[in-house]
Amino acid sequence: MRWCRVAAVLAALALLGGCSTVSYVGQAIGGHIELLRQARPVEDWIADPATPAALRTRLELAQRLRAYAVSELKLPDNRSYKRYADIGRKAVVWNVVAAPELSLKLQTWCWPLMGCVGYRGYFSRDGADALAAELRAQGLEVFVYGVPAYSSLGWSEWLGGDPLLSTFIGWPEGELARLLFHELAHQVVYAADDTAFNESFATAVERLGGQRWLAQHADVAARAEYEALDRRRREFRALVRKTREDLRALYTSDADDAAKRRRKAELMAALRARHAALKQQAWGGYAGYDAWFDNTNNAALGVQAAYDEWVPAFEQLFERSGADFTRFYAEVARLAALPKAERRAALAAAAATGVDE
């Protein structure tokens, strides 16, 4: 019966957004409810003799991480990530992002209560691909990517909260820690109409929390594994950031569109060449980013910016808060309540100022 009540409430919200949103929100309702229906308490999985030993070990680790998130990182102490579901696929949702040919500004979609976001998520790849085709027909550049987890921002707590999923439970210890801390951070602060603020904040929390967990609780092998992964991630982001900055300068320049297209092609070719060199030299042939570089475009670069743009600013704010998570969250909540322009100005000032100044 409670599932019917959930569907009715969410369907009503969908109708507030207009008829064109009904089918999209309908699949989102159905997809999320199905996750919740599949999830069972972690304790049940651990106690079940049929649970594989490797999965049992990972679920036990996830619960230690969950407890650490509350006690040390001051993240929400609620029902999220205390249930587990094996969903039998590599991604829980496929996100679709789009941007114009000569801009990094993402297409946005707006929803009642949630505000505007720069992506649409689908619980089936077919649904994502169908929207992607429509957007390409409009002349937009489109990027479709699978995600292992998402946050319901705490709205599904009364139904059991966001569950642990088979899409990420087997990740290396440091990566699992980061993901859980990231998704829980979304339940702390959310600014409507500001994807970059929300994602950069959660990314800052995952970095800060992940580093603390590894330093305090992980063994040497787990720390070494994480360092190798994180080194590549930092180098990937630095590589992408440089191209993004060059393209942003190009797109806002006085050059005509033909010149912009030529220069854009050169910058994209250079990006792929630098990746190829990095892959063969520093990364020892690591191919984990190949698909991203094979398909990168303005949309892919634009969405990557959302996760990176304000992370240095949030890290500065954390230091100014005395490395105290409670004070840090209060300051972030204060910023989230500001008008967007004021919020961005405050973040820019924080990013530009050293922690000792």
Side-chain angles (χ1 to χ4, degrees), residues 49 56 80 82 89 92 141 203 243 254 303-304 315 330:
R56 182 177 293 108
S80 287
K82 296 179 181 179
R89 58 182 188 268
V92 61
E141 295 188 357
T203 298
T243 299
D254 294 330
V303 74
Q304 185 63 43
E315 290 176 337

Side-chain angles (χ1 to χ4, degrees), residues 4 6 16 47 58 68 102 137 141 160 178 206 261 325 343:
C4 296
V6 174
L16 291 175
R58 302 306 291 177
Y68 183 85
L102 297 175
E141 295 188 357
R178 286 173 61 114
E206 76 169 63
R261 291 187 181 99
F325 280 98
R343 184 189 312 139

Side-chain angles (χ1 to χ4, degrees), residues 47-306:
D48 189 343
T51 299
L55 175 58
R56 182 177 293 108
T57 298
R58 302 306 291 177
L59 290 172
E60 291 169 345
L61 170 61
Q63 293 310 281
R64 293 196 298 275
L65 290 167
R66 187 68 184 84
Y68 183 85
V70 174
S71 64
E72 300 299 322
L73 309 184
K74 310 307 177 185
L75 289 166
D77 185 5
N78 55 28
R79 300 170 73 184
S80 287
Y81 306 114
K82 296 179 181 179
R83 296 166 65 84
Y84 171 73
D86 186 338
I87 62 173
R89 58 182 188 268
K90 293 183 178 180
V92 61
V93 168
W94 285 265
N95 280 353
V96 182
V97 290
E101 178 191 11
L102 297 175
S103 173
L104 296 176
K105 185 176 181 179
L106 295 178
Q107 169 92 11
T108 58
W109 291 270
C110 301
W111 312 103
L113 305 180
M114 293 285 294
C116 301
V117 295
Y119 59 88
R120 287 183 83 166
Y122 289 83
F123 282 87
S124 75
R125 180 62 192 252
D126 288 345
D129 287 341
L131 175 62
E134 293 178 15
L135 295 170
R136 291 189 183 101
Q138 298 171 22
L140 295 170
E141 295 188 357
V142 181
F143 187 68
V144 179
Y145 60 100
V147 296
Y150 65 88
S151 174
S152 62
L153 307 181
W155 292 0
S156 66
E157 280 304 306
W158 65 290
L159 295 171
D162 297 331
L164 296 164
L165 298 173
S166 53
T167 50
F168 61 80
I169 195 64
W171 283 12
E173 182 172 339
E175 300 300 286
L176 180 60
R178 286 173 61 114
L179 184 144
L180 291 180
F181 302 158
H182 181 109
E183 299 303 336
L184 285 167
H186 282 310
Q187 297 184 21
V188 175
V189 177
Y190 179 82
D193 305 333
D194 201 338
T195 299
F197 178 91
N198 297 323
E199 294 299 344
S200 293
F201 164 63
T203 298
V205 173
E206 76 169 63
R207 291 189 192 181
L208 295 165
Q211 290 165 1
R212 286 194 176 195
W213 169 267
L214 288 164
Q216 296 172 4
H217 295 285
D219 60 24
V220 173
R223 290 197 295 270
E225 182 179 35
Y226 173 81
E227 178 53 37
L229 289 166
D230 196 51
R231 175 178 56 82
R232 287 193 294 263
R233 179 166 40 231
R234 294 193 303 268
E235 291 169 348
F236 162 76
R237 287 175 170 166
L239 184 61
V240 171
R241 186 181 305 115
K242 176 62 169 63
T243 299
R244 192 167 63 231
E245 291 169 354
D246 291 343
L247 285 170
R248 185 174 288 122
L250 171 66
Y251 294 152
T252 57
S253 73
D254 294 330
D256 61 36
D257 286 355
K260 288 180 180 179
R261 291 187 181 99
R262 288 193 297 271
R263 180 57 181 154
K264 172 187 174 183
E266 293 171 354
L267 290 171
M268 288 295 198
L271 173 64
R272 292 186 175 95
R274 288 197 296 272
H275 164 246
L278 195 59
K279 173 183 173 181
Q280 296 306 319
Q281 297 167 14
W283 292 357
Y286 176 75
Y289 291 107
D290 283 9
W292 192 92
F293 282 100
D294 289 344
N295 296 283
T296 194
N297 54 23
N298 286 340
L301 291 162
V303 74
Q304 185 63 43

